Amino acid sequence: MGRERRPHIGIFGRRNNGKSTLINFLAGQDIAIVSDVAGTTTDPVKKSFEITGFGPVILIDTAGIDDTGDLGKKRILKTNQAIKTIDLAILVITQNTFGDFELGLIEKFRKQDVPFIAVHNKQDIELLHQNTSDLLQKNGAKEILHFSNNEGNIEPIVNSIKTTIPESAYTTPSLLGDLISYGDIVLLITPIDIEAPEGRLILPQVQAIRDILDNDAVCIVLKEKEVDAFLRKTGIKPKLVVTDSQVFLKAGASIPSDIALTSFSIMLAHFKGNFSAYLNGTPKISELKDGDKVLLLESCTHHSSCDDIGRVKIPRWISNFTGKQLEYVVVAGLDEVPGDISDYALLIQCGGCMITPKQLGNRLQPAIDAGIPVTNYGMAIAYVQGIYNRAVAPFAKIEDSTSDYL
């Protein structure tokens, strides 16, 4: 299971509360530096961890929320940003210290809809008081535990993680299971161009192949140049065709209109994005005006080629389609969006194959809350290339939105 499919668990608290010690005990190895010096942890530290009887998770050790100085402010910013990426939080306190720093963290957990459990650490130095436990329970802690590295009994915390983490964080719905069934033939069109990784397929293509096999269907993989000859020579009529969005026009011309056609990016938009918001937002491309700012969100970091999809192709296609003078801002990874979200007239999110549904949802929500239209790379490309209705139809029917959008 790739990291983008694993639940993310963040460990938070003040400096020297033993967060790094706790994550080392959880992981069973020294992955985080432990020191008596306050502020040892700087950037968030991630580690894969297998919970027996549950599955793989990602543990994130964060800097102390009470850090000081200019550098400390940057560390706190990274800690706060990590909250947007997690499915479950562990709040670590010691010596019954519970105040504004903890309340501030809990409020951020609440805003991001992140459940949390509380761990009173260094129990050998001072026992957890009942009034502290009551405060934690009053402020939403799902469970209140204690820990001491002298004893090292981590099982209660592991069991609490199992029972507290939201089911949506670890369930894996099918990418295409609503569209295909036993014995169906699915054709995947996968260009091998300058942006294709050397010696392998991109993650959404690999995921689609596995999902098709898991649904007991037949998967055929071709480059775009082979499609016409393949269909002509074999007479095979696929149940569904999934193409790379960049060759939508070629795929649309090659695949008969009575065969369902979509793209890997739109497949991911339905799988882990806010598909209804995308359906509403995509047609707003036609309403863009001169001077509007368009925000493109890439969820991974990669070397940009001269014909990069997010930085070059999509801006070119949208500018040509609208005929407007637009400003494009590209943000990679999970970096903060520059300026205020209300500065933008449109947000275009990539497929999000490298991040979790929770992380992708948190990227979109500020724009949705502000009334900013949102769309997806594949849906935007399909729209400006005149193939939008056909490309979204397979999933729009699942959403029972056909009458509104098609």
Side-chain angles (χ1 to χ4, degrees), residues 39-338:
T40 301
T41 301
T42 54
D43 285 344
V45 176
K46 296 183 180 182
K47 175 63 181 177
S48 298
F49 168 54
E50 182 79 23
I51 298 179
T52 303
F54 179 82
V57 300
I58 302 293
L59 295 174
I60 305 176
D61 186 19
T62 65
I65 198 64
D66 61 333
D67 215 331
T68 58
D70 291 339
L71 185 56
K73 291 179 181 178
K74 294 182 178 181
R75 292 171 176 169
I76 292 171
L77 178 62
K78 288 289 187 181
T79 293
N80 288 333
Q81 289 173 350
I83 297 173
K84 299 178 182 179
T85 72
I86 62 172
D87 302 287
L88 174 69
I90 299 176
L91 175 61
V92 181
I93 65 171
T94 59
Q95 297 176 275
N96 295 283
T97 302
F98 184 87
D100 289 342
F101 288 117
E102 288 73 24
L103 288 171
L105 275 173
I106 291 171
E107 179 58 26
K108 291 181 175 67
F109 298 156
R110 186 178 294 115
K111 286 183 177 179
Q112 297 298 329
D113 195 26
V114 174
F116 78 97
I117 60 178
V119 175
H120 185 262
N121 201 13
K122 304 182 182 180
Q123 182 79 353
D124 54 317
I125 297 176
E126 183 175 331
L127 298 177
L128 174 66
H129 296 166
Q130 185 60 49
N131 62 334
T132 306
S133 180
D134 292 342
L135 275 171
L136 286 164
Q137 187 174 22
K138 178 182 177 182
N139 283 279
K142 298 297 183 181
E143 195 163 355
I144 302 155
L145 307 161
H146 55 77
F147 179 76
S148 167
N149 61 349
N150 289 338
E151 299 175 0
N153 183 14
I154 211 72
E155 285 307 309
I157 299 176
V158 171
N159 290 333
S160 181
I161 290 172
K162 291 180 181 179
T163 58
T164 307
I165 197 162
E167 184 178 356
S168 60
Y170 57 84
T171 53
T172 53
S174 175
L175 285 164
L176 298 169
D178 291 327
L179 302 178
I180 60 176
S181 57
Y182 175 84
D184 285 341
I185 296 175
V186 183
L187 175 62
L188 305 183
I189 303 176
T190 59
I192 306 299
D193 56 16
I194 190 173
E195 290 190 85
E198 187 67 28
R200 58 188 173 89
L201 298 174
I202 62 173
L203 183 57
Q205 295 166 355
V206 175
Q207 290 174 331
I209 293 171
R210 176 57 192 265
D211 193 72
I212 292 164
L213 297 177
D214 286 343
N215 281 283
D216 299 317
V218 178
C219 181
I220 299 172
V221 184
L222 296 174
K223 293 192 291 185
E224 74 280 13
K225 295 182 293 185
E226 314 301 329
V227 172
D228 292 320
F230 172 81
L231 294 176
R232 184 177 64 254
K233 290 179 180 179
T234 65
I236 288 175
K237 184 178 181 180
K239 173 68 177 298
L240 173 69
V241 177
V242 186
T243 182
D244 189 292
S245 300
Q246 298 183 65
V247 292
F248 251 139
L249 289 178
K250 173 67 173 69
S254 298
I255 304 302
S257 59
D258 61 337
I259 297 175
L261 172 66
T262 191
S263 77
F264 294 104
S265 183
I266 296 175
M267 173 190 73
L268 287 177
H270 182 261
F271 178 68
K272 64 170 61 174
N274 188 326
F275 198 66
S276 295
Y278 288 152
L279 286 171
N280 283 316
T282 305
K284 301 297 182 181
I285 293 174
S286 293
E287 300 177 17
L288 292 171
K289 303 183 297 293
D290 285 328
D292 279 346
K293 294 175 67 175
V294 177
L295 176 64
L296 294 105
L297 295 180
E298 290 182 343
S299 296
C300 62
T301 52
H302 63 273
H303 175 70
S304 300
S305 69
C306 59
D307 213 15
D308 187 84
I309 182 65
R311 290 170 170 80
V312 179
K313 288 183 177 178
I314 291 178
R316 182 176 69 232
W317 287 330
I318 290 179
S319 293
N320 290 341
F321 175 81
T322 61
K324 305 298 182 183
Q325 295 294 319
L326 304 170
E327 179 182 348
Y328 297 93
V329 177
V330 180
V331 177
L334 294 174
D335 290 348
E336 289 293 295
V337 172

Side-chain angles (χ1 to χ4, degrees), residues 331-403:
V331 177
L334 294 174
D335 290 348
E336 289 293 295
V337 172
D340 191 276
I341 194 66
S342 61
D343 296 338
Y344 299 93
L346 178 70
L347 182 154
I348 309 177
Q349 168 69 49
C350 75
C353 64
M354 298 299 293
I355 60 176
T356 68
K358 177 81 175 189
Q359 292 165 353
L360 194 149
N362 285 337
R363 292 292 266 171
L364 296 176
Q365 200 57 49
I368 294 172
D369 291 342
I372 309 300
V374 298
T375 184
N376 154 275
Y377 275 26
M379 295 170 82
I381 294 170
Y383 187 81
V384 300
Q385 294 189 350
I387 199 171
Y388 177 68
N389 286 354
R390 184 181 182 187
V392 301
F395 296 112
K397 290 175 182 176
I398 296 172
E399 296 286 311
D400 196 27
S401 302
T402 316
S403 60

